[in-house]
Structures are given as C-alpha cells and as structure tokens.
Amino acid sequence: MTRLIARAWPVLLGAVVVNALLQALLVAPFVTPSFSILFVALFFASFVVLVAALAAVVAGLRIAARGAGRGRPSWSEWVASAAVVLAVALASLASTWLAPVAVMIAIIVLAGVALGRGAAGFAAFRHHPVRAILLTLLTLVVLVLVGPPGLGTLLAGFFITGWPGAALTWLGFGTAGVLLLTTWTALAFRSSSEARSAASERPAAHGR
C-alpha cells in the first residue's frame, strides 16, 4: 500500500482535493431536490466531477501498480467509474444503509480494474481469505462512520454548513475512499502476483 501511495500520491491527492472543491461549489442551498432544470444540471455536473476524479484515481493506481499505459484514464476506467457511481447512487436511493455495501463492492471492482482485470479484487478472497475478510470488515466500518449515514457526516453537517461543510464532507469521504481503494489494490496486486508465480512454477515442476 505504501509503495502505491508513494508512487501515485500527487494524482490521489489532487483528485480528492479538486473533487471536494468542485462538489462544494456545486452546492446550491436554494435548490431543493426536484426535477427542475437547475437541480438536474447540478446533479449531472456533480456526477461528472465524481466520475472524473474516480477515473483519475484508478488510472494513477494502475500506473503505480503495473507501470502500464498513459497517465490519462482509459475508456475502461471511465466506463467502470461511471458504472460504480451510478450503482452506488441507485443503492443509496433504495436505502441509505445500502450505500456502504455498494461503495465497498465498487472499491473491490475498481481495484481489479486498476490491475487490468475486474475480478482481480475478488480473487483476493481466494488467495488471502483472512486478510480479505478483515479488510472487508474494516472497509464497512470506515464507510459507515465516514459515509452518508455515518457519524462523521452528521457532525460535519451539524457544526459546519453550506459550502465549507460540503467541502469538508467530501474531503473526508474522498480521503477514506482513496485509502481503502489503494489498500484493496495492493492486496489484489499481491494476490495476482502470487497466482502468476504459482502458475509459472507448475510447468517447471511437471517437467522434472
């Protein structure tokens, strides 16, 4: 994890800060949730900003982990980021308490996308089941505390309102999300490396 952060920290930090600032600028206290043109426009702009920040983070982790491709997000990273943001939004509409579970699944999927294979994140449960289960529990605890239904969001909204409160909330959630995604990517990368090493050793063992 520390190796990934050391290599990708400018991208990770920039994505978290820029996303928080832009999301705060999109807060309009006088706009209530409805199907008005202004609300829909602000919602769409927020969606685009979040997807762009997420795609940038995934691309940064991809380069840090594999040293592959360009610095800009690939089409698959754009599509995966948009898909998980949409899925989390739909889960949140169904129930606020579904949001942490949806975000956790999204993080595991994006960890695999950063390694070039969407299922790589879930492969960690096969190669390192104990670590994956413990990380799952830690992820849920952090997301419940920091996410929309959590204590952190409630306190930020109570003591700091308006644009500063929105920026602080997004900074906290973005930082937690990036750290969790980096940790899952590191675990998935380790699992993938060990699986490749084991696969390369089998032909040699059979040839003896």
Side-chain angles (χ1 to χ4, degrees):
M1 175 184 172
T2 54
R3 182 176 66 88
L4 294 181
I5 292 178
R7 291 183 177 182
W9 73 264
V11 175
L12 305 182
L13 179 62
V16 170
V17 173
V18 171
N19 176 68
L21 293 177
L22 292 178
Q23 296 291 354
L25 291 175
L26 291 171
V27 172
F30 55 87
V31 178
T32 57
S34 64
F35 285 102
S36 64
I37 296 177
L38 181 56
F39 176 78
V40 172
L42 290 173
F43 180 83
F44 180 75
S46 176
F47 175 83
V48 171
V49 169
L50 182 56
V51 169
L54 199 52
V57 168
V58 174
L61 290 175
R62 183 230 318 146
I63 295 173
R66 299 189 293 148
R70 304 170 299 172
R72 291 177 295 177
S74 64
W75 280 108
S76 61
E77 289 161 351
W78 279 109
V79 171
S81 299
V84 299
V85 170
L86 183 59
V88 170
L90 292 176
S92 301
L93 289 175
S95 173
T96 306
W97 292 101
L98 281 178
V101 178
V103 173
M104 182 192 68
I105 295 173
I107 288 173
I108 299 175
V109 170
L110 291 178
V113 172
L115 298 179
R117 190 165 57 90
F122 294 99
F125 288 92
R126 183 171 68 253
H127 298 286
H128 296 284
V130 176
R131 291 184 182 182
I133 291 172
L134 291 176
L135 184 54
T136 297
L137 296 176
L138 175 63
T139 301
L140 287 174
V141 170
V142 171
L143 292 176
V144 167
L145 291 175
V146 180
L151 180 62
T153 302
L154 293 176
L155 290 176
F158 182 78
F159 291 106
I160 306 174
T161 59
W163 293 284
L168 182 62
T169 299
W170 278 104
L171 277 175
F173 186 67
T175 301
V178 165
L179 290 176
L180 290 172
L181 177 55
T182 304
T183 306
W184 275 104
T185 303
L187 181 60
F189 180 75
R190 180 173 181 174
S191 300
S192 299
S193 299
E194 291 178 357
R196 285 194 298 268
S197 299
S200 63
E201 290 174 359
R202 288 194 197 103
H206 287 303
R208 291 172 186 168

